[in-house]
Amino acid sequence: MKRKRFWAAGLSVALALSMLSGCIRPQVTDDMIPTVTDLGMDQTPVEEEAQVMGLSMNKSYMAELTRLDGDNTQVATVDEKTIPVVLKATSMDKDLKVKIVNQKNDRVITGTVFEVTVTDSKKKEATYKDEDKDGIIYIKNMTPGSCTISMKSSGGYNAPQNIKAEVKANLEYKVVDIGDEIKKESEINVSKEDSNTTGNSDAGTATAMTDTVEFVASTKNEIMEQAIDDFGTPMYEKIISEPASYHKDDNKDGKCDRCGAKMACEHTYTESIKDATCTEAGTKTLTCSKCGDTKTETIAAKGHSYENGKCKTCGAVDANHTHDYSVVVTEASCITEGKNKCSICGQENPVPIPKTEHKFDADGKCTTEGCDAVKTQNPDGGDGGDNTDSTTNSDPAPTSEEAVSVLNHTVRLVGASKAEKIVYDTTSAPVMRGTGKFKYTGWQTIDNATYFFDKNGNKVTGTQVIQGIQYTFSSEGVRSGTIGIDVSKYQKGINWQKVKNAGINFVIIRCGYRGYGSGVLVEDPMYASHISGAKAAGLRVGVYFFSQAINEAEAVEEASMAVKLANRYGINMPIAIDSEYAAGGRGRADGLSKADRTRITIAFCNTVANSGHTPMVYASKNWFSEHLSPSQFPGSYRIWVAQYASKCTYGGRYDIWQNTSKGKVDGIGGNVDMNVSSI
């Protein structure tokens, strides 16, 4: 994040005086101003209990505070009244660190002599001033318990709301908020703080072993073989002749693209059909869309299909039908005959419909209009009347159906006989195809097992030295152990995918260090790049911190910094404390006793463990024996021992063995530390 730079009003004068005294201090920027990192804890500026974290103070810690105060003295050039001010406080062990913070950017405000009043747990008030204007007021020898902190308006800044804080009575192995104290290397004199070492000088002399197997880069190539055609003949790129059914003419030049033979048209016909009627034949015309060739076929007339004297298709009348005379033209009555006709052809029936009988009313007169008939008595006493018989002639209509045949036209290509084969020009290049099998060289991980294949693609077995590092392989070529590296700012430009492909399974990255001179906390400048690249390549990742803590409180700080940086990206291996001499014995922690160094190591590891991570101790074989008491370490601590030899002879338990500082790994320029892990 880019921030505006604020220059101290008297910075040029201070620099001039510093130059006259022979000491030129680095240019002060707002990046040097400590920020307060929340670590996920909710804090509000109202009268709430502030999150307070313990730190055991001593002369070294006080000296560090003084150094921080001096390096961060600045005068803000903005309108103070526009800056919202909040108070924050932390405690480690009967002490209190009060920070005056810009609420907008969560950075301490410098350049003003702030004054705070602290009311301790016994209601005793005391006033303290930020004489060095660094935005931090450190108070020691406090009475444990709850206290209230207030601040007066100062230098144009409005007074913030009071806060409450808890002064710790004893040191706790818990992560503390030290985000505002972490420096970048651009803010310090690196030559006086970093030991500039790429390996543990107490681990022995790393010598390059003679390779027994030539190193080759990792490759994976599919094994190819000459293709075989349908006739069992090995295939070549050029073809002399072939069966016609194999011809191809993709460029439409009338010649086979494969052998050059003249192509016969492989007709592709489309149909055009004129349907047949009952009395007329139809046609089917086939036209080739490629060459225009046509073929015409006749579709026979369907013929009539009669039913009830008429064709079901076209309605034509059957000449041989039987008249049904079912249609009445004139109704018959008692005085006239009726007429009817055929319902099929309409012909009138020559036989009239007989007259009907009279119908008489009660007076004996016929009810039909125009009829004068009168009812008479028959001699036998019966009624008189006319009887009419009607006869209806109906001939059964024969039915007939004609079968419709459909001609299906099938076009077949003329192919080669079984005796024909493809003839190749064997002087041309053979046609190759993949087998689904591969030839490997170099480091390969297959089905979660790691192998090394020599330049001929053979698996390496037994104990072998590759790039100066000794490995053990089973009779099937499986490498035993998990191989990793550890890196810091001294390894740059790493190609992490190549590292992964070279058979490396994990990496432990230096996240930071405490300066061996002043004790400043510094993030390794390559940490972000290293951990991002390693995780992207799929490597397992852990971190380590180069310690120069001289007491348990500083160890808690170092662990807090390591946890903070580890959580920023996420890790799946331990967090280690690196304990060794710095700068040829000139380190601030080089004079520690074995007992003190052991307590400091335990404080670091317990803080890491309480944060949910796995702690680990790194040291050389001799360092574990002479400067630490590993028997006091819980079994939950991982042990990382450095011994540069063909075999680790450390007598205690260990989880990772750093066996050389002169390893060679594809993707890393120069030497790199190599490790074998059982975790």
Side-chain angles (χ1 to χ4, degrees):
M1 179 184 294
K2 295 184 178 179
R3 298 185 177 93
K4 295 180 180 179
R5 295 178 176 244
F6 298 100
W7 298 97
L11 181 59
S12 59
V13 176
L15 289 174
L17 292 174
S18 178
M19 292 175 65
L20 290 174
S21 64
C23 176
I24 299 178
R25 308 190 74 172
Q27 185 178 16
V28 180
T29 69
D30 85 323
D31 289 337
M32 299 180 184
I33 303 174
T35 60
V36 180
T37 304
D38 219 359
L39 284 178
M41 296 175 283
D42 291 332
Q43 298 181 2
T44 57
V46 294
E47 289 278 338
E48 292 183 352
E49 185 73 14
Q51 178 66 32
V52 180
M53 296 166 282
L55 175 62
S56 176
M57 297 299 173
N58 53 33
K59 292 181 180 179
S60 170
Y61 184 67
M62 285 300 296
E64 174 60 11
L65 284 178
T66 301
R67 189 196 65 77
L68 288 174
D69 291 350
D71 281 355
N72 290 308
T73 300
Q74 296 185 20
V75 177
T77 59
V78 297
D79 183 2
E80 293 89 340
K81 292 184 182 296
T82 65
I83 298 177
V85 180
V86 294
L87 294 175
K88 292 190 177 183
T90 59
S91 175
M92 292 285 273
D93 185 7
K94 304 178 185 67
D95 60 358
L96 192 66
K97 183 190 292 186
V98 181
K99 300 178 183 181
I100 299 89
V101 178
N102 180 339
Q103 189 179 31
K104 287 186 176 180
N105 61 13
D106 205 29
R107 297 174 67 86
V108 293
I109 301 171
T110 62
T112 298
V113 180
F114 293 106
E115 183 176 318
V116 299
T117 298
V118 180
T119 304
D120 64 18
S121 59
K122 295 183 178 181
K123 307 302 181 182
K124 181 181 178 180
E125 288 189 359
T127 300
Y128 306 90
K129 290 185 177 181
D130 181 16
E131 299 290 356
D132 53 13
K133 305 179 183 181
D134 71 339
I136 301 174
I137 299 174
Y138 174 70
I139 309 167
K140 62 179 180 177
N141 299 325
M142 292 285 293
T143 301
S146 179
C147 66
T148 302
I149 307 169
S150 61
M151 190 191 88
K152 296 180 180 180
S153 297
S154 301
Y157 293 97
N158 293 326
Q161 291 185 338
N162 298 348
I163 65 169
K164 287 184 177 181
E166 186 72 20
V167 177
K168 300 297 177 82
N170 298 292
L171 178 65
E172 298 177 350
Y173 299 134
K174 294 182 179 179
V175 168
V176 297
D177 184 357
I178 43 73
D180 58 316
E181 298 180 36
I182 299 175
K183 296 289 187 180
K184 298 179 181 178
E185 283 199 340
S186 59
E187 303 173 66
I188 66 169
N189 186 339
V190 178
S191 64
K192 294 183 179 181
E193 304 295 350
D194 195 9
S195 62
N196 194 27
T197 177
T198 58
N200 193 328
S201 59
D202 197 43
T205 301
T207 58
M209 302 177 68
T210 302
D211 284 2
T212 58
V213 174
E214 178 185 354
F215 173 77
V216 289
S218 301
T219 62
K220 176 183 177 181
N221 296 302
E222 187 175 12
I223 298 174
M224 307 296 288
E225 65 180 10
Q226 189 170 4
I228 304 298
D229 67 15
D230 297 342
F231 303 97
T233 306
M235 298 174 65
Y236 292 85
E237 289 186 353
K238 293 183 179 181
I239 298 174
I240 297 175
S241 63
E242 62 182 347
S245 59
Y246 284 77
H247 290 329
K248 290 185 178 181
D249 186 17
D250 293 337
N251 60 5
K252 308 300 181 183
D253 64 352
K255 295 181 180 179
C256 176
D257 300 335
R258 292 160 55 88
C259 66
K262 184 177 181 181
M263 298 286 292
C265 182
E266 298 176 359
H267 299 301
T268 301
Y269 289 111
T270 57
E271 294 181 350
S272 176
I273 297 176
K274 178 184 177 182
D275 292 331
T277 67
C278 295
T279 57
E280 294 182 358
T283 59
K284 178 191 287 186
T285 302
L286 304 177
T287 304
C288 177
S289 60
K290 294 182 179 180
C291 64
D293 178 64
T294 59
K295 293 181 179 181
T296 302
E297 298 176 359
T298 300
I299 303 174
K302 298 178 181 179
H304 296 301
S305 176
Y306 294 112
E307 182 177 7
N308 297 327
K310 287 186 178 181
C311 178
K312 294 186 293 183
T313 303
C314 65
V317 176
D318 183 1
N320 298 318
H321 74 283
T322 301
H323 302 294
D324 61 4
Y325 300 122
S326 61
V327 179
V328 177
V329 177
T330 304
E331 294 284 351
S333 69
C334 60
I335 57 176
T336 61
E337 295 177 331
K339 296 180 180 181
N340 56 16
K341 66 179 180 180
C342 178
S343 65
I344 298 172
C345 63
Q347 178 180 311
E348 185 175 314
N349 189 353
V351 180
I353 301 173
K355 295 180 180 180
T356 63
E357 293 182 356
H358 298 290
K359 292 182 180 180
F360 299 103
D361 59 14
D363 296 331
K365 293 180 180 181
C366 182
T367 59
T368 301
E369 183 179 357
C371 181
D372 298 329
V374 178
K375 183 178 181 180
T376 61
Q377 296 291 328
N378 292 328
D380 58 2
D383 292 335
D386 295 327
N387 293 321
T388 303
D389 291 331
S390 63
T391 302
T392 301
N393 296 325
S394 62
D395 297 328
T399 61
S400 63
E401 293 185 359
E402 293 181 318
V404 179
S405 63
V406 179
L407 178 63
N408 294 321
H409 179 75
T410 303
V411 179
R412 297 182 180 180
L413 297 176
V414 179
S417 66
K418 293 184 179 179
E420 292 182 289
K421 291 185 178 182
I422 301 175
V423 179
Y424 299 94
D425 179 356
T426 57
T427 63
S428 64
V431 176
M432 308 300 292
R433 67 181 178 186
T435 62
K437 300 178 181 179
F438 297 88
K439 177 182 178 180
Y440 300 95
T441 64
W443 290 107
Q444 300 289 341
T445 299
I446 304 171
D447 296 333
N448 296 320
T450 302
Y451 305 83
F452 187 84
F453 294 82
D454 64 20
K455 62 183 179 181
N456 297 317
N458 300 313
K459 293 178 181 177
V460 170
T461 60
T463 300
Q464 305 289 350
V465 179
I466 304 170
Q467 288 190 296
I469 304 168
Q470 182 173 289
Y471 300 94
T472 301
F473 301 88
S474 71
S475 58
E476 279 74 40
V478 179
R479 188 192 69 192
S480 60
T482 303
I483 307 300
I485 58 176
D486 58 270
V487 297
S488 66
K489 70 178 183 181
Y490 301 106
Q491 287 79 34
K492 293 182 174 65
I494 297 177
N495 184 323
W496 287 102
Q497 192 56 55
K498 285 188 176 181
V499 171
K500 171 74 172 179
N501 295 341
I504 299 301
N505 305 115
F506 70 90
V507 57
I508 305 177
I509 303 168
R510 186 174 80 160
C511 62
Y513 60 91
R514 186 185 287 277
Y516 73 83
S518 67
V520 63
L521 297 172
V522 187
E523 180 178 343
D524 189 296
M526 291 300 297
Y527 172 65
S529 174
H530 284 338
I531 194 168
S532 298
K535 286 174 68 68
L539 294 172
R540 296 178 64 207
V541 176
V543 300
Y544 76 93
F545 188 93
F546 183 81
S547 173
Q548 281 291 290
I550 59 176
N551 56 49
E552 291 181 81
E554 289 191 349
V556 171
E557 287 184 316
E558 293 177 350
S560 299
M561 177 176 171
V563 168
K564 176 181 176 64
L565 294 176
N567 288 344
R568 184 184 295 171
Y569 298 94
I571 61 174
N572 49 19
M573 289 192 74
I575 295 176
I577 177 173
D578 177 358
S579 178
E580 57 184 276
Y581 284 126
R586 301 192 306 275
R588 65 198 295 269
D590 288 348
L592 289 173
S593 67
K594 186 174 186 178
D596 286 342
R597 195 177 297 278
T598 299
R599 282 192 292 271
I600 288 170
T601 301
I602 291 174
F604 181 99
C605 290
N606 285 350
T607 303
V608 169
N610 288 335
S611 74
H613 289 279
T614 301
M616 183 163 63
V617 182
Y618 168 86
S620 68
K621 171 189 173 184
N622 294 336
W623 193 272
F624 273 119
S625 301
E626 299 174 7
H627 298 282
L628 291 169
S629 299
S631 61
Q632 298 183 30
F633 298 159
S636 59
Y637 291 7
R638 299 293 190 180
I639 302 300
W640 180 12
V641 61
Q643 184 183 8
Y644 302 155
S646 60
K647 182 179 180 180
C648 183
T649 59
Y650 175 63
R653 66 174 181 86
Y654 64 92
D655 302 282
I656 300 178
W657 169 34
Q658 185 186 86
N659 53 20
T660 184
S661 61
K662 292 187 176 181
K664 298 289 185 182
V665 174
D666 192 27
I668 300 177
N671 297 332
V672 65
D673 296 339
M674 302 297 301
N675 302 271
V676 180
S677 173
S678 61
I679 57 176

